[in-house]
Amino acid sequence: MMKGVNEDLTPDDIDSIIKSTATDIGDEGVDEDTAYGLVNTGLAVQAAKHKTFSDVAPVLKGISSVGTGNVQFWCDTIANEEEYIVYRSTSANGVYEQVGRYFVNGSNRMVFSETELTSGRTYYYKARCRCKYSTGSKYSLYSNVVSCTIS
């Protein structure tokens, strides 16, 4: 199942993921009677899925002001992500706020559009992708920062 979501896994990767995601059932930690515990297949598959994009980042492309007060850009999708989260700031090194969440729908491209922005102002954007992991989420690295002055 793990190779089904990440064909690049090595035998050592699989061994490490199975051990790190096992449910501990004996004495705390690795023990003689139960070793690492019960194999948690669901969590192991999620970990294998995340490994496909944990050390990569989306690459934002094609940013442009589209009409008055609007901006649009896109990125090619990354394998096994479930959602893209887009952040915006008014300065390259400023504080970024989340401005959008885009669920993957089977296409090979995520397109972001935002409207009602202030004309003449420059906005900066970055993004990262997410997948479910246990009761939370795992994230990719942040993308490159792209900017656009709004017409």
Side-chain angles (χ1 to χ4, degrees):
M1 289 187 292
M2 293 165 52
K3 288 287 271 187
V5 296
N6 185 348
E7 63 187 28
D8 296 329
L9 291 175
T10 66
D12 286 341
D13 290 335
I14 292 170
D15 182 61
S16 175
I17 289 171
I18 288 172
K19 289 175 180 176
S20 69
T21 59
T23 302
D24 196 353
I25 58 171
D27 294 334
E28 189 171 331
V30 180
D31 58 82
E32 189 173 307
D33 293 331
T34 61
Y36 291 87
L38 294 174
V39 173
N40 184 331
T41 55
L43 194 55
V45 169
Q46 288 176 356
K49 185 178 185 181
H50 175 254
K51 193 165 177 54
T52 61
F53 70 83
S54 61
D55 60 351
V56 297
V59 177
L60 303 184
K61 303 174 183 177
I63 191 164
S64 61
S65 184
V66 182
T68 304
N70 303 323
V71 67
Q72 184 175 34
F73 59 84
W74 59 274
C75 73
D76 293 327
T77 58
I78 298 171
N80 291 316
E81 84 291 41
E82 296 170 358
E83 175 183 48
Y84 286 86
I85 304 165
V86 178
Y87 303 87
R88 179 189 66 215
S89 179
T90 54
S91 67
N93 296 316
V95 175
Y96 283 79
E97 65 176 310
Q98 181 181 316
V99 293
R101 296 176 86 89
Y102 295 86
F103 292 94
V104 177
N105 61 5
S107 70
N108 291 327
R109 185 173 282 185
M110 181 278 296
V111 178
F112 173 80
S113 296
E114 189 172 26
T115 61
E116 300 182 22
L117 298 169
T118 304
S119 292
R121 178 173 251 176
T122 301
Y123 292 94
Y124 299 82
Y125 294 89
K126 64 182 178 180
R128 64 182 176 169
C129 50
R130 176 195 77 82
C131 75
K132 292 182 219 168
Y133 187 81
S134 186
T135 58
S137 297
K138 291 274 188 173
Y139 297 89
S140 71
L141 301 173
Y142 282 100
S143 71
N144 56 309
V145 173
V146 294
S147 65
C148 186
T149 301
I150 305 304
S151 58

